């Protein structure tokens, strides 16, 4: 396979008409130009240049190869220009996908930090459930995903993260029940699903895991409303329409004094983590956003103390 450096030398020899002039234009020595030309002749198997007095004259094969060299070098310059432009416009853009609770509780603080410390970085944010975020990451449509375990239904277990991806733990949280503050069960520190068998529920669209656990606990929940908007869920519960479940990460930014929030003791803790391809950690903008996300999580854990909703990733 031909090397681009000898082709560049040949193109310059064709343009200037001598090894000396080509060497001066390229910043080489004249012997270096001669060496590159001899190597190129060995590679193609035919003479490319002959000396005519004090000048160099290309052979027919040399002229033909010089035409190809110009085309190759022009194509390479076009590629270089394209990627210089691409780097200038995209190096400071991070495409982030995140679960709803992370969008509410973690991402705003992280982006505020990023704006103060590195204002040139732009974050494009897409809110998505875990299977969708994983698909976007696999296809290269996003650079980084904030995901969780325990929320992926059994029928979607094939979308669990690739072992080749880098998983960076951020925190753990608990599944909690939202009750009106004057509800009879609000006096308890924790609750189980069995305690809630007779309640009316406000549920999110994704409910297969919840329904399976209710069936295991021996009841089918009475559903009075369905919505995926967390603010609406809070307001419906506060208005006495029904009770609801929510992960601890999404609770505090939307906390209503009319609500009582109690952890479910028979529901496992959820792990929240960042997921990305390992090479993406070397992209400065992605690395900066990861640092900001970790700082935002640390500050939230520090502000809330060791409460019963959130915990460290360890």
């Amino acid at each position: 396979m031909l090397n681009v450096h000898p082709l560049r030398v040949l193109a310059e020899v064709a343009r200037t008409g001598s090894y000396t002039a080509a060497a001066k234009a390229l910043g080489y020595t004249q012997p270096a130009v001669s060496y590159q030309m001899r190597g190129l002749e060995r590679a193609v198997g035919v003479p490319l240049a002959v000396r005519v007095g004090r000048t160099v004259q290309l052979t027919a094969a040399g002229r033909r190869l010089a035409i190809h060299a110009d085309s190759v070098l022009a194509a390479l310059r076009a590629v270089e220009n394209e990627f210089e432009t691409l780097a200038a416009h995209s190096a400071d853009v991070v495409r982030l996908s995140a679960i709803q609770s992370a969008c509410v509780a973690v991402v705003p603080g992280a982006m505020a930090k990023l704006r103060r410390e590195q204002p040139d970085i732009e974050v494009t944010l897409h809110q998505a459930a875990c299977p969708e975020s994983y698909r976007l990451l696999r296809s290269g449509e996003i650079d980084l995903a904030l995901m969780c375990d325990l929320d992926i239904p059994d029928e979607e277990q094939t979308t669990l993260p690739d072992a080749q991806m880098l998983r960076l733990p951020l925190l753990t949280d608990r599944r909690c029940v939202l009750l009106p503050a004057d509800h009879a069960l609000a006096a308890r520190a924790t609750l189980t699903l069995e305690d809630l068998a007779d309640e009316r529920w406000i549920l999110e669209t994704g409910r297969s895991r919840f329904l399976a656990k209710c069936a295991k606990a021996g009841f089918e929940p009475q559903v009075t409303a369905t919505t995926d908007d967390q603010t609406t869920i809070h307001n419906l519960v506060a208005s006495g329409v029904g009770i609801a479940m929510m992960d601890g990460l999404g609770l505090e930014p939307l906390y209503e004094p009319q609500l009582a929030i109690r952890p479910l003791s028979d529901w496992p803790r959820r792990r929240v983590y960042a997921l990305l391809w390992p090479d993406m950690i070397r992209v400065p903008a992605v690395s900066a956003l990861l640092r900001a996300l970790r700082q935002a999580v640390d500050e939230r854990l520090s502000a809330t103390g060791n409460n019963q909703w959130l915990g460290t990733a360890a």
Side-chain angles (χ1 to χ4, degrees):
M1 182 178 291
L2 297 178
N3 192 301
V4 68
H5 300 296
L7 292 178
R8 186 171 283 115
V9 169
L10 174 63
E12 200 60 39
V13 170
R15 187 183 71 83
T16 62
S18 77
Y19 284 4
T20 301
K24 183 177 181 181
L26 293 169
Y28 294 170
T29 63
Q30 192 274 338
V33 169
S34 298
Y35 176 80
Q36 292 281 357
M37 287 295 293
R38 289 196 299 271
L40 188 56
E41 288 181 333
R42 287 194 298 272
V44 298
V46 296
L48 298 174
V50 294
R51 288 191 177 277
V52 179
R54 292 180 179 273
T55 64
V56 173
Q57 181 176 307
L58 295 182
T59 65
R63 291 192 297 273
R64 184 63 182 166
L65 186 57
I67 293 172
H68 287 300
D70 284 338
S71 298
V72 169
L73 294 172
L76 286 175
R77 283 192 294 271
V79 171
E80 289 172 349
N81 291 338
E82 178 183 345
F83 277 83
E84 284 175 359
T85 301
L86 182 64
H89 288 85
S90 66
D92 292 334
V93 176
V94 184
R95 300 166 301 168
L96 172 67
S97 181
I99 54 177
Q100 184 180 22
S101 56
C103 286
V104 171
V106 174
V107 173
M111 290 181 63
K113 285 182 172 296
L114 206 58
R115 183 181 179 185
R116 291 193 298 270
E117 298 171 6
Q118 294 183 255
D120 293 335
I121 295 178
E122 175 188 350
V123 178
T124 60
L125 177 60
H126 177 72
Q127 181 178 298
C130 296
E132 173 67 4
S133 286
Y134 180 59
R135 184 194 67 77
L136 293 171
L137 198 61
R138 288 276 299 175
S139 65
E141 296 174 66
I142 60 170
D143 305 310
L144 177 66
L146 296 186
M147 299 177 60
C148 63
D149 57 11
L150 300 179
D151 278 353
I152 301 178
D154 293 339
E155 64 270 19
E156 295 174 343
Q157 288 297 309
T158 55
T159 64
L160 285 171
D162 193 312
Q164 296 179 350
M165 291 184 180
L166 184 61
R167 175 172 166 154
L168 303 175
L170 292 174
L171 56 85
T172 63
D173 66 355
R174 299 186 70 174
R175 197 72 165 162
C176 299
V177 181
L178 278 66
L179 307 160
D182 58 357
H183 195 286
L185 293 175
R188 300 192 188 183
T190 63
L191 296 169
T192 67
L193 281 177
E194 289 184 4
D195 297 329
L196 306 166
D198 297 327
E199 300 295 327
R200 297 186 65 83
W201 290 87
I202 301 158
L203 295 182
E204 296 172 299
T205 304
R207 61 182 71 173
S208 58
R209 181 176 292 273
F210 172 72
L211 295 177
K213 286 187 174 292
C214 289
K216 190 175 180 179
F219 72 96
E220 180 179 346
Q222 304 175 63
V223 181
T224 189
T226 297
T227 177
D228 290 324
D229 182 74
Q230 293 184 341
T231 302
T232 301
I233 292 173
H234 278 238
N235 290 334
L236 288 173
V237 175
S239 299
V241 174
I243 69 171
M245 286 180 58
M246 193 173 291
D247 294 301
L249 185 60
L251 288 171
E252 292 189 30
L254 300 173
Y255 181 73
E256 293 279 350
Q258 302 99 313
L259 297 180
I261 302 171
R262 299 294 180 263
L264 277 174
S265 59
D266 54 352
W267 198 286
R269 286 186 179 271
R270 181 183 71 158
R271 292 180 292 271
V272 179
Y273 55 90
L275 191 71
L276 67 164
W277 291 105
D279 280 351
M280 290 303 300
I281 201 78
R282 298 190 291 112
V283 178
V286 174
S287 182
L289 178 56
L290 278 171
R291 286 195 302 273
L293 286 166
R294 287 194 180 102
Q295 291 170 0
V297 167
D298 290 344
E299 288 186 2
R300 177 160 294 282
L301 291 174
S302 176
T304 58
N306 295 320
N307 68 28
Q308 52 189 347
W309 303 338
L310 302 181
T312 60

